[in-house]
Amino acid sequence: MARSNSIRIIGGAFRGRRLRFPDAPGLRPTADRLRETLFNWLQGEIEGASCLDPFAGSGALGLEALSRGAEMVRFVDQSRAVARQLEKNLRLLGLQERVEITATDALKLLRREADRQFDVVFLDPPFARGWLAQACLDLEQKGWLGAQSWVYLEQDSHQDWPSVPPGWRLHREAKAGQAACRLFRRATICG
């Protein structure tokens, strides 16, 4: 694998570690600058958190969360080769006990009733697919989120942002190159 097929963990216990990922269509790791911004926003929220990374790809977001003290991360990616490389990287770091890796279609998974709620969800699907709106809706309707969960969205900076469910409050947003991101906090909905 070429050096360009690697990510660098930018903070926490594994700061500076480089990890490889395979070539796969649409696989584009979140840039260092956006990851640093995101985890600065989430400072104080990641330690002990359960995280869901349904479009895991290189695993950059979930690995960064683990490095910064997340209790567990569920990585989901449709590609078996990507899932195998994630397993290898997590073994290298000794983190296999704090993760679940599922090789399946993320949208199909999110359409099922949740088997647990997550504190932080990273939604960074392939830019050209237009999957963000459906993924947000499924997270909300199928019980994947707790009362105060954080949801990170990333997409092409030239696209209009999709609607998000009522009760999601925009916390922060940023752009870097071709990518734009938003961080939402789910507000407790009183019935």
Side-chain angles (χ1 to χ4, degrees), residues 83-173:
R84 279 193 302 273
Q85 185 62 46
L86 277 169
E87 286 173 356
K88 185 184 291 186
N89 287 341
L90 290 157
R91 273 195 311 275
L92 278 172
L93 298 174
L95 294 171
Q96 63 272 26
E97 300 299 317
R98 293 172 43 201
V99 302
E100 296 172 22
I101 300 172
T102 306
T104 192
D105 181 307
L107 288 179
K108 286 181 182 175
L109 175 77
L110 294 177
R111 286 186 189 123
R112 297 194 302 246
E113 290 298 321
D115 55 1
R116 72 176 295 159
Q117 293 182 332
F118 292 89
D119 303 311
V120 180
V121 178
F122 306 112
L123 290 181
D124 180 17
F127 282 178
R129 300 298 179 117
W131 291 341
L132 276 178
Q134 186 62 53
C136 290
L137 190 63
D138 291 337
L139 284 174
E140 183 67 34
Q141 292 182 346
K142 299 299 183 178
W144 294 97
L145 303 174
Q148 296 287 314
S149 293
W150 295 93
V151 182
Y152 170 80
L153 309 181
E154 186 176 326
Q155 69 173 16
D156 187 298
S157 61
H158 298 99
Q159 293 179 316
D160 292 331
W161 284 103
S163 297
V164 297
W168 287 23
R169 294 187 324 261
L170 179 62
H171 181 68
R172 298 271 173 89
E173 61 185 320

